[in-house]
Amino acid sequence: MFPSRADGGSYTDNLIGTLLAIFGNVLVSISLSVQKFSHVTLAGTKDPRAFYRTKTWWCGFVLTCLGEGANFVSYAFAPLSLVAPLNAVSVLASSILGLIFLREKSKPKDFAKQYGLSFLGSILTIGGTYLFVSFGPNSHEKLKAENIVTHMVGWPVLLYLLLEIITFCLLLYFYKQRRANYLVIILLLVALLGSVTVITVKAVSGMLILTIEGTMQLNYPIFSVMFVCMVASAVFQARFLSQACKLYDCYLIASVNYILSTVFAIVAGAVFYLEFKNEDVLHICMFLLGSAFCFLGVFLITKNRKRTKTFEPCVTMDMTNGVPTIHDKGLVDFNGSFSYGALVNNDGVAPANVPVDLEQPPVSSRATKASDLKKD
C-alpha cells in the first residue's frame, strides 16, 4: 500500500502515526454525535436535567478525550504534514454518522442534490487520503530537545516565524481596529495560531514519548517553552473559532478552516521539521494532489448540509385600518405601509427584532373606532 522509500523503522513509525490519527479522528466524530444525540434526546423529552448529568453526554466526553489523546500521540510517530490533512477523516465520519446515527434527513426532492454532492465529496476525500498517505513524507527523526533547539535557531524557521508574526499582527489590527469581521480574516488568524499549535504539539508529544521510553526530556527548558506555547495558541485558537461561529455558518467554517489550517500545517512541517527535504518531485506532486482532493471533498461534504432556518418577523402597519400584521422575512409588500422590525428600516437605525405575538387582536373594534373618528 505504501511505497517503500526509507528504512523499516521510519515506515513502521509512519504507519503507527497514521493509524492513530485516523482512529482518533473517528473517535472524535463518534463522540460529537453521541453528545449531540444526548442534547437532542433531552430537548425532545423535556427532561429537566442538565446535559452534563446524563450518562450519554459523559460517554461522548470520554470518547473525545480518547480521540484527542490518539491524535496527540500520532504527532510523535508520523510527520506533521502527514497527520494534519487526516482531519478530513473526522469530517467524513461526521457526515456518515449524521446520516445514520442521528437520522438527519432531507426532503425527497432535495435528496439527490444534497447527498449526491456529499457522496462525491466522500469519494474524493477517500481517494485524496490514500494519495497523500501513500506519497507523503516518510522522513522521521527522534525529537530530542537538542534536535528541536537546532531546528528552532535555523534561519528558515526564524524567517518563517517573523513573517507569521507580522502577518498575524496585521490581520489582528484589521480585525480589532477596522472591524473587518470577514470569515477569511478570522480563519487566517486561527490557521496562523494552528501552525504554532501543531509545531509545539509535535515537539511536546515527541519528547514525552522519548521520556516514556527511558530518555528523560522533561528537564530541558525547551520542553516548558513548547508546552506553554502549545496551551496558549490552542486557547486563543478556540477563542477566534468561537467568534467565527457567532457570525457565520458552522459548516462553512468547518470546510474553510480545514483548508487553511492544513495548508499552514504542511508549510510549518516543511519549514520547521524539514519533512520534504529528501522527497522527490513526483512524491511531492502526488502528495499535493491528494491534499487538493481532500480539500474539494470536504468542501462538497459540508456545502449542502442542512441548515437551521430561523423565523425573522417583520411587522407592517396598514395605514387604512391601523392593524399590525406579522410577516416572515421577504414576504411583505410595503406599498402604502409603514414597516418596522427585522426587514425594513427607513430611519437609518439598526434593525431591531420585535417580540412576536402570533395571536392577533380582533380587527372589528379598531376599525369601528377609526370610522367614528372619520365621521367626527
Side-chain angles (χ1 to χ4, degrees):
M1 176 179 177
F2 301 92
S4 178
R5 310 191 308 275
D7 55 38
S10 180
Y11 170 83
T12 304
D13 287 345
N14 280 9
L15 182 60
I16 293 174
T18 301
L19 293 178
L20 280 173
I22 293 175
F23 176 73
N25 284 302
V26 171
L27 270 186
V28 170
S29 300
I30 294 175
S31 68
L32 293 178
S33 296
V34 170
Q35 289 182 325
K36 182 177 179 180
F37 181 76
S38 175
H39 288 289
V40 171
T41 303
L42 284 177
T45 58
K46 298 181 179 180
D47 195 329
R49 293 181 301 169
F51 64 90
Y52 53 83
R53 294 183 180 274
T54 61
K55 295 180 180 179
T56 310
W57 187 88
W58 278 106
C59 179
F61 179 77
V62 171
L63 290 176
T64 300
C65 294
L66 292 176
E68 293 297 345
N71 283 330
F72 179 79
V73 176
S74 67
Y75 283 96
F77 290 94
L80 175 59
S81 303
L82 190 61
V83 176
L86 287 173
N87 288 327
V89 175
S90 179
V91 178
L92 176 61
S94 297
S95 177
I96 297 174
L97 291 171
L99 177 63
I100 299 175
F101 183 71
L102 298 174
R103 299 178 182 178
E104 295 181 355
K105 299 180 180 179
S106 62
K107 297 179 180 180
K109 63 180 180 180
D110 298 331
F111 183 85
K113 178 181 178 181
Q114 180 174 357
Y115 292 104
L117 286 178
S118 297
F119 179 76
L120 178 60
S122 301
I123 297 298
L124 288 173
T125 302
I126 294 173
T129 302
Y130 174 80
L131 283 178
F132 75 70
V133 168
S134 300
F135 295 95
N138 205 25
S139 60
H140 180 71
E141 64 173 336
K142 298 294 184 180
L143 289 178
K144 297 181 180 180
E146 296 87 351
N147 297 340
I148 296 174
V149 173
T150 303
H151 285 302
M152 182 172 290
V153 298
W155 70 265
V157 175
L158 294 178
L159 179 60
Y160 171 77
L161 292 177
L162 178 62
L163 292 176
E164 190 172 75
I165 291 173
I166 293 174
T167 305
F168 183 85
C169 291
L170 288 175
L171 291 174
L172 189 62
Y173 169 76
F174 283 105
Y175 176 62
K176 292 293 186 181
Q177 301 297 326
R178 300 287 183 174
R179 303 297 180 185
N181 297 329
Y182 300 109
L183 178 63
V184 174
I185 291 181
I186 300 176
L187 293 186
L188 277 174
L189 291 170
V190 173
L192 289 171
L193 289 171
S195 65
V196 176
T197 302
V198 293
I199 288 173
T200 54
V201 164
K202 183 172 179 61
V204 172
S205 178
M207 285 188 282
L208 284 175
I209 294 298
L210 287 177
T211 301
I212 294 174
E213 292 177 350
T215 306
M216 176 57 67
Q217 301 291 317
L218 306 185
N219 53 357
Y220 288 92
I222 190 63
F223 176 81
S224 301
V225 173
M226 287 293 182
F227 184 81
V228 171
C229 292
M230 178 186 70
V231 175
S233 60
V235 169
F236 283 104
Q237 187 179 356
R239 182 178 178 182
F240 282 117
L241 271 178
S242 176
Q243 294 174 4
C245 291
K246 295 178 182 178
L247 300 174
Y248 298 96
D249 182 78
C250 61
Y251 296 114
L252 178 62
I253 293 173
S255 60
V256 178
N257 182 55
Y258 168 75
I259 295 172
L260 293 178
S261 297
T262 302
V263 169
F264 278 91
I266 293 173
V267 174
V271 174
F272 196 94
Y273 295 109
L274 305 176
E275 294 177 344
F276 293 93
K277 183 178 181 181
N278 299 321
E279 302 297 321
D280 53 47
V281 177
L282 176 61
H283 285 93
I284 294 176
C285 291
M286 295 301 293
F287 172 82
L288 294 177
L289 180 62
S291 300
F293 280 170
C294 282
F295 295 160
L296 181 58
V298 169
F299 175 76
L300 292 178
I301 290 174
T302 58
K303 179 178 174 57
N304 286 331
R305 295 286 293 174
K306 183 170 61 177
R307 293 163 173 79
T308 57
K309 296 181 180 180
T310 57
F311 175 74
E312 298 185 20
C314 181
V315 183
T316 63
M317 182 71 73
D318 190 342
M319 299 305 292
T320 305
N321 297 323
V323 180
T325 306
I326 300 175
H327 304 271
D328 195 358
K329 185 178 180 181
L331 300 177
V332 189
D333 182 11
F334 295 98
N335 294 329
S337 301
F338 168 74
S339 63
Y340 60 95
L343 189 60
V344 173
N345 180 26
N346 294 327
D347 300 327
V349 185
N353 291 326
V354 181
V356 180
D357 186 6
L358 297 179
E359 296 182 0
Q360 297 182 5
V363 183
S364 57
S365 59
R366 296 188 180 184
T368 304
K369 290 181 181 179
S371 60
D372 292 340
L373 290 175
K374 290 180 180 180
K375 290 181 181 179
D376 295 339

